Amino acid sequence: MGMNQHFRTTASWDQAVNLLDHSFPLTEGSHGSVTSYLTYFDHLVAIQADGTTTGLVHPAQFVEASGLEDAPSCIRLEHNGLQVEIEPGCRHAGSLQSATEHRMQLLTDIATA
């Protein structure tokens, strides 16, 4: 059963960030400050808000991406049977700020204890 959850870099996306940071940690920083993702030689690269780049602590968690290497339309990650799909958004110019919106889909149910 899939579960769609739209998220942004605001309090409304804290649960998605916690799930990503816990199950798919980055070598530096948090998924919460990622403005875009790209793929490079079968590795996922996360570009942080400050312009630095980082990758997954466990690169093998990156399963696949579709779309362009420098702008994937869909990224699939897997950890111990938990599959997550991220659809990176683009920066949208707002009135005074620009925001990056992503979409995450949980592809595997999380069993509740």
Side-chain angles (χ1 to χ4, degrees), residues 1-20:
M1 176 172 141
M3 176 171 105
N4 290 329
Q5 179 178 352
H6 291 280
F7 58 89
R8 301 182 182 141
T9 50
T10 65
S12 66
W13 110 275
D14 285 347
Q15 289 180 330
V17 169
N18 289 338
L19 173 75
L20 291 171

Side-chain angles (χ1 to χ4, degrees), residues 30-41:
S30 166
H31 286 277
S33 61
V34 171
T35 58
S36 61
Y37 295 92
L38 59 92
T39 58
Y40 183 73
F41 290 102

Side-chain angles (χ1 to χ4, degrees), residues 8-84:
R8 301 182 182 141
T9 50
T10 65
S12 66
W13 110 275
D14 285 347
Q15 289 180 330
V17 169
N18 289 338
L19 173 75
L20 291 171
D21 286 346
H22 176 73
S23 298
F24 308 98
L26 298 172
T27 55
E28 294 181 30
S30 166
H31 286 277
S33 61
V34 171
T35 58
S36 61
Y37 295 92
L38 59 92
T39 58
Y40 183 73
F41 290 102
D42 294 326
H43 285 79
L44 181 66
V45 178
I47 301 172
Q48 303 285 347
D50 65 2
T52 60
T53 60
T54 189
L56 294 169
V57 169
H58 308 287
Q61 291 180 320
F62 171 62
V63 176
E64 66 181 341
S66 59
L68 303 173
E69 289 180 350
D70 62 346
S73 57
C74 183
I75 298 163
R76 183 171 294 180
L77 306 174
E78 182 174 8
H79 173 67
N80 292 337
L82 173 68
Q83 291 189 12
V84 171

